[in-house]
Amino acid sequence: VFCKFVGGKGVTQALGVMLGFSPRLGRLTAVVWLAVSPAAWAVRGANFVQSPQAAWGSDVALVSLRRLQALGADTVALVPFMRQSSPAACDLAWDQHYNLARIEAAMRQAENAGLRVILKPQILVNGHWAGDIAPGDAAGWACWFNAYAALIKDLAGLAEARRATGLVVGTELKRTELRPEWRTLLSDVRKRYGGTLSYVFHDRVDVMRFPALDALDSVGLSLYPRLGETAAEAFRGTAWQRYGLRRWAAALSKPVWFAEVGVPSRQGAGKTPWQWQADADPAALADPGFQAEALANWLAALRGDWHQGVLIWDWQSDPNGGGVRNTDFTPQNKPAEAVLRCFWQDEGMPECAP
C-alpha cells in the first residue's frame, strides 16, 4: 500500500505500508515508513519563444499564451536569448530583442494567462551550438563567467521579484560544465532568488560530472535522441528511452524534469530530431503527422510521477505560428496540438494517439 500527501512548507510526504507473513510470529506483519522529498513542480507546458512578429508583452503574445493554457498547460519556460560572437569570445550580452523589461512583460502576461513561469535563458553562438562555448585559457574563462554571472544574477532578481516558479541557471552549456566557477555562480544566485534552481543538461551522462550538482534543487534534461524513420521505430525508440530514463532518475539524488521534448514536423526528423538548423531548409518537406505521433509517443512514455514534468519545445509568441506546411518544432496549428490537448486534459488516455 502506498499513498502520498502534501505536508507543510512545500514538502511532499509519502506514507508506505509493506505487508508480509512472519513465520516466527505466525501472522501478517506491517512495516510503516515515511519518506520526505522536495515538492514536485509537476509541470506540463512548453518553452515560450519570442517570434519576430509578436514581441513578448504584445497583445498577440498574450493570445498565444492563452491558447497554450486552454490546451491544458500550467507552466511556461520563458526563453530569453543571450548572444556571443564565437565559442571562445567574451562578448556575451542579451540578444538585441531581449532585455529585463521585455522579460518581465512576458512574465506578467503568463501570470495573467494562468500559467506558472520558469525563466530559462539560453545562448546563441554565431554558427555554433551553445555547448561549444569554451573560452580557452584561465583569463578567458574568468571573463566569460563574469559576463554570464552578471546576466544571470539580474534574472535572479527578477525571478524573486515576480515569484517565479523556477530559474534555470544554464542550458546545454556542455563544455563549461566541469568548471569550478559554477559553484560561486550558484551561491551568488541563491542570495538573490529563493525559489527552485535548476540546470538543463544535454545528456544524462553529464549530470554526475557537474561539480556543483549538490547546489541545484533539480536536474533538467533535453530529450532529442534519434527515433528512427518510421512511426513504428519512433514508438519503439521512446519506449526504450523510458526504460533508461526511469533507471537514471531513480539513481539520482535530485528531482528530474524534462525541460525540452520536441520533434520537428518535417520528413526525416526522426533520424535527427535535434537539428533545428534544418528548419530553415527551403527543400524540407512538412510531415506534421509524424510530429504528432512522435509527441504522442513521448508523452505516453513519460507518464507517471517519477519526474517533475515535461515541457514541449517550443511554443511561439505568434498565435498564427506553425501550420501544416511549417517544418519547425512548434506544434501550433498542427495535428500535434490535438495530441497535447488530449494528454493534458484527458490524462493521456489511449485515444490520444493521432
Side-chain angles (χ1 to χ4, degrees):
V1 181
F2 184 80
C3 61
K4 292 194 298 185
F5 60 93
V6 177
K9 297 184 179 179
V11 173
T12 297
Q13 299 177 341
L15 178 66
V17 181
M18 182 179 292
L19 298 176
F21 182 79
S22 170
R24 183 173 63 85
L25 297 177
R27 65 173 184 266
L28 285 173
T29 60
V31 177
V32 181
W33 73 94
L34 180 67
V36 180
S37 62
W41 285 346
V43 298
R44 63 175 184 269
N47 290 265
F48 191 57
V49 176
Q50 182 175 238
S51 306
Q53 64 274 34
W56 284 353
S58 65
D59 291 343
V60 287
L62 179 58
V63 170
S64 185
L65 285 165
R66 286 176 171 164
R67 287 185 180 175
L68 177 63
Q69 193 274 340
L71 291 179
D74 60 24
T75 305
V76 287
L78 298 181
V79 185
F81 284 103
M82 306 170 186
R83 185 180 288 276
Q84 65 184 69
S85 59
S86 71
C90 187
D91 54 2
L92 183 64
W94 287 116
D95 179 81
Q96 62 178 330
H97 301 294
Y98 298 88
N99 54 51
L100 291 180
R102 183 165 289 185
I103 297 168
E104 183 172 14
M107 295 177 77
R108 291 180 183 275
Q109 287 192 324
E111 294 160 8
N112 290 339
L115 296 162
R116 293 178 293 177
V117 174
I118 297 169
L119 293 181
K120 181 173 169 283
Q122 298 184 210
I123 301 177
L124 299 173
V125 185
N126 295 347
H128 291 268
W129 171 48
D132 293 332
I133 292 173
D137 59 18
W141 280 112
C143 182
W144 187 86
F145 266 101
N146 286 337
Y148 186 64
L151 298 174
I152 293 296
K153 286 188 284 188
D154 285 344
L155 271 187
L158 181 57
E160 180 67 21
R162 301 253 16 120
R163 302 181 65 84
T165 294
L167 172 63
V168 173
V169 297
T171 301
E172 297 184 348
L173 301 172
K174 190 177 180 72
R175 295 185 68 185
T176 77
E177 289 168 2
L178 297 181
R179 298 294 305 179
E181 290 91 344
W182 279 109
R183 184 167 296 281
T184 300
L185 187 152
L186 280 160
S187 176
D188 289 344
V189 169
R190 185 74 71 183
K191 295 172 185 175
R192 292 165 172 78
Y193 174 60
T196 298
L197 294 181
S198 191
Y199 180 96
V200 176
F201 292 88
H202 175 67
D203 196 313
R204 60 182 186 260
V205 301
D206 298 326
V207 176
M208 296 307 295
R209 296 195 286 247
F210 191 66
L213 182 61
D214 60 300
L216 296 174
D217 298 311
S218 68
V219 169
L221 188 67
S222 298
L223 286 181
Y224 298 105
R226 187 182 189 279
L227 298 176
E229 299 186 38
T230 67
E233 289 176 341
F235 175 79
R236 291 193 295 271
T238 51
W240 177 248
Q241 286 290 325
R242 172 185 170 89
Y243 173 77
L245 290 167
R246 289 203 65 164
R247 287 172 57 90
W248 167 74
L252 281 181
S253 59
K254 300 285 181 182
V256 171
W257 61 297
F258 299 105
E260 295 183 23
V261 177
V263 180
S265 56
R266 58 176 168 80
Q267 289 185 4
K271 294 185 291 185
T272 55
W274 59 87
Q275 287 187 344
W276 64 269
Q277 294 93 337
D279 299 342
D281 181 0
L285 299 177
D287 191 351
F290 179 85
Q291 181 193 45
E293 292 190 25
L295 283 179
N297 291 337
W298 269 127
L299 292 173
L302 297 175
R303 280 183 295 194
D305 59 0
W306 52 278
H307 58 80
Q308 289 189 313
V310 178
L311 296 184
I312 300 300
W313 182 273
D314 59 3
W315 190 270
Q316 298 177 4
S317 58
D318 179 4
N320 297 315
V324 294
R325 295 183 180 180
N326 176 269
T327 59
D328 69 12
F329 285 88
T330 181
Q332 288 165 276
N333 303 302
K334 302 176 186 177
E337 248 197 64
V339 170
L340 297 182
R341 180 184 295 108
C342 191
F343 272 91
W344 289 346
Q345 293 187 6
D346 300 332
E347 303 302 327
M349 300 300 290
E351 58 268 24
C352 288

